[in-house]
Amino acid sequence: MAFGSFNEGGSAQPMAEINTTPLVDVMLVLLVIFIITAPLLNQAVPVDLPKVSATQVEQKPQVVQLALDGNSQVFINGEVVAGEALATRLQGLAGPETELHLRADRGTRYEKVAQVMATAQRVGIAKIAFVTEEPGRP
């Protein structure tokens, strides 16, 4: 016969054993790699860093308190300001980090609030915050 069988002279039953040789070979290679690389993970390069003592500089923004009462009077930091002098007064207080905290009475017309905000923006104050109170507080 020209074609032979791999199972010549043996039994025709399948092999019931697991060949563990390739598994052991792979595990031994992984173990060797782990043994070689594990000590390298703990080594650090010694670097002599310079020691400097510096203080952190905190620049607090200038806060301008602007209030509008029910009669449309404008108060800047507690002082009454006439409508015409508002722009010049805000111009003197304006800066790159200036914040405007705006308090308006409940009865103040929105038109007056919008005019004050437009004036503040025109003189260069870009950060405007509305100050409110929690409900139930006097």
Side-chain angles (χ1 to χ4, degrees), residues 27-86:
M27 294 306 289
L28 285 174
V29 168
L30 289 175
L31 181 65
V32 168
I33 291 173
F34 179 73
I35 289 172
I36 291 173
T37 59
L40 298 177
L41 296 176
N42 293 333
Q43 290 181 351
V45 177
V47 178
D48 187 20
L49 297 174
K51 294 176 178 41
V52 178
S53 61
T55 59
Q56 183 177 1
V57 177
E58 290 187 27
Q59 293 180 349
K60 294 185 179 180
Q62 179 186 3
V63 176
V64 177
Q65 300 287 337
L66 192 139
L68 292 168
D69 67 356
N71 299 328
S72 296
Q73 286 186 331
V74 179
F75 297 86
I76 295 180
N77 293 332
E79 298 176 11
V80 179
V81 177
E84 304 82 29
L86 177 63

Side-chain angles (χ1 to χ4, degrees), residues 67-72 102-110 113 131:
L68 292 168
D69 67 356
N71 299 328
S72 296
L102 180 60
R103 299 171 190 260
D105 188 77
R106 185 179 310 223
T108 305
R109 294 182 47 92
Y110 180 72
V113 175
V131 181

Side-chain angles (χ1 to χ4, degrees), residues 5 18-19 21 29 49 71 75 79 89 92 94 97 109 128:
S5 156
I18 297 176
N19 189 2
T21 304
V29 168
L49 297 174
N71 299 328
F75 297 86
E79 298 176 11
R89 184 76 184 271
E97 293 294 321
R109 294 182 47 92
I128 300 174

